């Protein structure tokens, strides 16, 4: 069957076909067997696989088409349930291309339609062939044990805003307690889908919604397990710790890291210094002050928490200055003042050159520091 | 008056024919199982608890399939007949009647179902076309 799917990409078509296959494989298989039996009674002895698939597909579509047209005629008459006349009208619509006796008659009563006569003729002439296998009624609908409502369990909802006919909340133990056997966790997942939809707590709702989306893709049908079962040890479901509840140990930086820091901090300095040859006198000052800065940074690292690491970056001069230890506050102020006073040019040539300038001033103001 | 009476009689006949036919359907077991028909009818919104109507739809579908198959069988036999004339050898004749895609697509064409395969696929729109400047 060539549908008019000109605008679809091949991937979309493949996906659609796969989806169709997944849902309907059982029905299609039965249709194939039935069609093969009918063709065998007609006289065929063998089939090409593709031809059989094609014909069974057409037969299924035919059934659906009859259903559609019959439903249409029933709705047209203001009914939802179809009766024999709706089916006859539907069949007439489908057989118009082939034609039947009395197709052109206007006032024909439906009960005397040519279609019925042809079908009754067919029934009387053809031999009755039963289906080869016994078919169970499908699709099988699994029974879901839905959670009972507040009324059914005799509970009262916690707030007035919740009407009592809604399903009740799950046991608090199912979503607050932690330590249980992890083996139960796999079984918890199916009923978690149900429970998560009903938990109203905003704190964990987002996380659980994400779960519900990911887990609804699993081919697991709701098992309607007991709500009272505890959840597995899932750290994401635990209540968050209050600040100060748990002791956090301070992490002292090992000596290696400190050196690396200073090396890193020297890196940008040297680069920028080399780029700025105009500040020739600064070069020497930088080198000489490098040792001082190193010592200073070491002091900084020893005193402050490790979060305050001295990394000198472009464009964040103010931050760096803020991070430097308090001893140099005076220089901070002085540095700022100098910058404002300085030329616009200097300001423009990246903020970096200020770093060596700072060092220069640092060395210049040795007396202040020491 | 007579005309009306005649019409009424005809109507009664038709209705009785229909009811008789539906009654006979309860005995007749169509090849297409009821569950399959119910499944596909449910998919298209058809609601009816009556078994006879389900059987009616099943019989109608069976009739349709048998008609298409008969048409394809005729095509197959016609093809074999031509083959035999060419070869003039009975042993080479394929005695088994196998349903081909070609025969089926021709049969379905009669019923308004377009089930043709592409005969060939071209690499580009101009594949196989003779270039004009070469003609002199």
């Amino acid at each position: 069957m060539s549908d008019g799917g000109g605008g679809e990409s091949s991937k979309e078509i493949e996906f659609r076909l796969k989806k169709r296959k997944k849902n309907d494989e059982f029905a299609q298989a039965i249709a194939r067997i039935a069609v093969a039996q009918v063709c065998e009674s007609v006289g065929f002895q063998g089939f090409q696989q593709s031809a059989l698939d094609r014909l069974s597909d057409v037969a299924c579509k035919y059934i659906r088409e009859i259903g559609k047209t019959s439903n249409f005629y029933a709705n047209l008459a203001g009914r939802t349930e179809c009766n024999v006349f709706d089916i006859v009208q539907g069949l007439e619509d489908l057989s118009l291309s082939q034609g039947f006796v009395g197709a052109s008659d206007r006032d024909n009563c439906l009960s005397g339609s040519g279609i019925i006569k042809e079908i009754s003729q067919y029934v009387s002439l053809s031999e009755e062939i039963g289906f080869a296998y016994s078919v169970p009624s499908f699709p099988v609908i699994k029974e879901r044990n839905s959670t009972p409502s507040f009324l059914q369990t005799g509970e009262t909802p916690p707030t007035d805003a919740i009407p009592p006919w809604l399903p009740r909340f799950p046991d608090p133990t199912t979503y607050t307690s932690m330590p249980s056997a992890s083996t139960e966790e796999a079984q918890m997942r199916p009923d978690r889908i149900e429970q998560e939809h009903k938990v109203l707590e905003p704190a964990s709702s987002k996380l659980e919604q994400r779960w519900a989306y990911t887990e609804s893709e699993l081919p697991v049908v709701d098992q309607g397990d007991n709500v009272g079962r505890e959840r597995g040890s899932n750290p994401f479901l635990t209540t968050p710790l209050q600040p100060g509840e748990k002791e956090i140990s301070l992490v002292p930086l090992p000596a290696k890291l400190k050196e690396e820091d200073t090396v890193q901090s020297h890196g940008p300095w040297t680069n920028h210094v080399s780029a700025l040859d105009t500040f020739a006198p600064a070069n020497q000052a930088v080198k000489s002050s490098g040792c001082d800065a190193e010592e200073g940074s070491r002091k900084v690292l020893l005193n402050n928490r490790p979060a305050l690491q001295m990394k000198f970056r472009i464009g964040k001069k103010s931050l760096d200055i803020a991070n430097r230890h308090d001893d140099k506050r005076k220089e901070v102020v002085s540095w700022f003042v100098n910058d404002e006073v300085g030329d616009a040019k200097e300001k423009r040539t990246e903020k970096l050159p200020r770093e060596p300038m700072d060092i220069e001033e640092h060395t210049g103001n040795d007396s202040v520091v020491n | 008056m007579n005309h009306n009476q005649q019409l009424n009689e005809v109507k009664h006949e038709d209705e009785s024919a229909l009811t008789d036919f539906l009654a006979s359907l309860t005995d007749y077991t169509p090849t297409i199982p009821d569950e399959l028909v119910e499944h596909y009818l449910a998919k298209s919104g058809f609601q009816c608890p009556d078994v006879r109507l389900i059987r009616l739809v099943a019989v109608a579908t069976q009739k349709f399939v048998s008609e298409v198959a008969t048409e394809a069988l005729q095509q197959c036999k016609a093809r074999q007949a031509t083959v035999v004339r060419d070869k003039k050898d009975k042993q080479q004749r394929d005695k088994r009647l196998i349903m081909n895609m070609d025969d089926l697509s021709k049969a379905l064409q009669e019923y308004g179902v377009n089930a043709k395969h592409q005969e060939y696929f071209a690499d580009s729109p101009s594949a196989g076309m003779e270039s004009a400047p070469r003609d002199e």
Side-chain angles (χ1 to χ4, degrees):
Chain A
M1 274 262 194
S2 55
D3 295 329
E8 290 182 11
S9 66
S10 59
K11 271 189 184 176
E12 287 174 10
I13 295 174
E14 272 177 38
F15 177 68
R16 213 160 36 87
L17 287 175
K18 269 189 192 171
K19 221 179 170 185
R20 204 190 295 169
K21 245 187 168 179
K22 258 190 193 175
N23 297 339
D24 223 9
E25 268 187 31
F26 186 63
Q28 281 180 355
I30 294 179
R32 244 176 264 145
I33 298 173
V35 163
Q37 280 186 268
V38 171
C39 294
E40 206 180 9
S41 72
V42 166
F44 275 107
Q45 285 147 357
F47 305 93
Q48 268 188 355
Q49 184 64 34
S50 57
L52 182 63
D53 286 346
R54 185 65 67 92
L55 189 54
S56 60
D57 199 31
V58 168
C60 295
K61 286 202 159 112
Y62 191 75
I63 299 175
R64 292 179 75 162
E65 199 64 32
I66 296 177
K68 233 199 306 187
T69 46
S70 313
N71 194 32
F72 166 75
Y73 280 112
N75 291 340
L76 193 63
R79 287 178 276 110
T80 52
E81 279 197 8
C82 303
N83 62 18
V84 65
F85 299 112
D86 299 326
I87 297 180
V88 170
Q89 275 182 306
L91 284 172
E92 280 191 0
D93 273 1
L94 289 173
S95 314
L96 277 177
S97 60
Q98 278 299 103
F100 54 92
V101 175
S104 54
D105 293 348
R106 285 180 300 113
D107 298 331
N108 219 3
C109 176
L110 280 174
S111 51
S113 166
I115 292 280
I116 298 293
K117 290 176 185 163
E118 284 184 9
I119 293 181
S120 55
Q121 214 177 19
Y122 174 78
V123 167
S124 56
L125 288 178
S126 72
E127 32 179 291
E128 182 177 332
I129 311 162
F131 190 67
Y133 303 98
S134 63
V135 182
S137 63
F138 69 96
V140 178
I141 300 166
K142 201 161 184 178
E143 275 194 25
R144 283 179 55 177
N145 296 334
S146 52
T147 47
S149 66
F150 284 108
L151 281 174
Q152 286 171 356
T153 50
E155 293 175 4
T156 52
T159 56
D160 284 341
I162 303 171
W165 46 264
L166 285 179
R168 66 182 181 90
F169 290 147
D171 271 349
T173 52
T174 58
Y175 55 83
T176 51
S177 74
M178 273 46 66
S180 2
S182 60
T183 53
E184 283 194 294
E185 205 175 344
Q187 288 169 331
M188 297 312 306
R189 289 203 172 183
D191 64 327
R192 225 182 257 163
I193 297 170
E194 262 187 69
Q195 290 170 7
E196 278 155 11
H197 286 305
K198 292 155 194 166
V199 168
L200 296 180
E201 288 178 18
S204 47
S205 64
K206 263 190 187 175
L207 201 61
E208 284 156 346
Q209 270 178 29
R210 236 188 293 150
W211 270 341
Y213 282 126
T214 54
E215 293 185 4
S216 59
E217 291 166 13
L218 295 176
V220 174
V221 184
D222 286 332
Q223 294 175 9
D225 291 324
N226 265 337
V227 174
R229 204 183 290 185
E230 280 188 4
R231 294 199 163 182
S233 53
N234 197 330
F236 294 106
L237 286 181
T238 62
T239 50
L241 293 170
Q242 298 300 319
E245 209 175 295
K246 199 171 179 183
E247 277 205 9
I248 306 165
S249 56
L250 296 176
V251 180
L253 273 190
K256 244 192 194 179
L257 276 179
K258 286 183 214 165
E259 284 174 8
E260 279 177 9
D261 267 339
T262 53
V263 165
Q264 278 178 14
S265 53
H266 279 310
W269 286 359
T270 49
N271 285 340
H272 301 310
V273 163
S274 62
L276 303 162
D277 291 330
T278 52
F279 295 90
N283 284 349
Q284 286 181 356
V286 167
K287 285 175 189 171
S288 63
S289 71
C291 309
D292 289 338
E294 193 179 336
E295 288 172 6
S297 62
R298 271 202 191 135
K299 283 184 194 168
V300 169
L301 289 167
L302 282 169
N303 294 336
N304 300 340
R305 287 190 63 113
L308 302 173
Q309 288 180 10
M310 294 170 61
K311 281 190 183 176
F312 295 90
R313 290 188 199 132
I314 303 170
K316 294 191 179 178
K317 182 198 170 199
S318 55
L319 273 178
D320 291 339
I321 290 169
N323 276 345
R324 290 190 191 180
H325 57 84
D326 296 340
D327 291 347
K328 293 192 179 176
R329 277 289 163 83
K330 286 183 190 173
E331 272 119 32
V332 169
V333 174
S334 63
W335 291 334
F336 268 124
V337 168
N338 284 335
D339 286 339
E340 284 163 17
V341 166
D343 292 339
K345 254 194 189 176
E346 282 182 355
K347 277 187 186 172
R348 275 206 197 154
T349 53
E350 311 140 342
K351 296 179 184 179
L352 288 192
R354 287 174 200 162
E355 318 276 8
M357 276 170 66
D358 294 336
I359 300 156
E360 192 185 7
E361 283 166 14
H362 174 195
T363 53
N365 292 332
D366 261 344
S367 56
V368 178
V369 173
N370 294 333
Chain B
M1 287 285 284
N2 282 334
H3 183 62
N4 278 339
Q5 283 175 357
Q6 278 178 5
L7 276 177
N8 286 337
E9 285 173 7
V10 167
K11 276 185 189 173
H12 286 311
E13 281 177 18
D14 290 338
E15 284 171 19
S16 61
L18 185 59
T19 46
D20 289 342
F21 171 62
L22 287 177
S24 71
L25 273 183
T26 49
D27 300 329
Y28 184 85
T29 313
T31 311
I32 301 176
D34 286 344
E35 289 83 8
L36 182 75
V37 175
E38 273 178 17
H39 173 66
Y40 281 115
L41 286 177
K43 273 197 173 182
S44 52
F46 182 100
Q47 278 184 17
C48 188
D50 201 347
V51 177
R52 294 175 298 172
L53 296 183
I54 306 290
R55 292 254 169 97
L56 176 62
V57 175
V59 166
T61 312
Q62 186 178 340
K63 176 170 168 291
F64 172 76
V65 169
S66 70
E67 282 175 359
V68 171
T70 317
E71 191 74 32
L73 190 71
Q74 286 175 5
Q75 298 274 350
C76 189
K77 283 184 180 171
R79 181 184 302 229
Q80 280 187 358
T82 53
V83 166
V84 166
R85 274 177 210 166
D86 293 341
K87 302 270 183 178
K88 293 181 184 178
D89 195 349
K90 280 188 182 177
Q91 288 179 356
Q92 284 189 2
R93 182 179 170 181
D94 192 5
K95 287 186 181 177
R96 296 196 70 195
L97 293 162
I98 297 179
M99 182 191 278
N100 285 334
M101 269 307 299
D102 298 331
D103 303 332
L104 183 65
S105 61
K106 280 181 192 165
L108 283 174
Q109 193 79 36
E110 301 277 328
Y111 286 84
V113 177
N114 185 13
K116 270 193 212 168
H117 271 314
Q118 284 279 32
E119 291 177 24
Y120 58 87
F121 292 94
D123 288 338
S124 64
S126 58
M129 283 169 57
E130 291 178 9
S131 52
R134 283 191 193 168
D135 295 335
E136 286 182 348

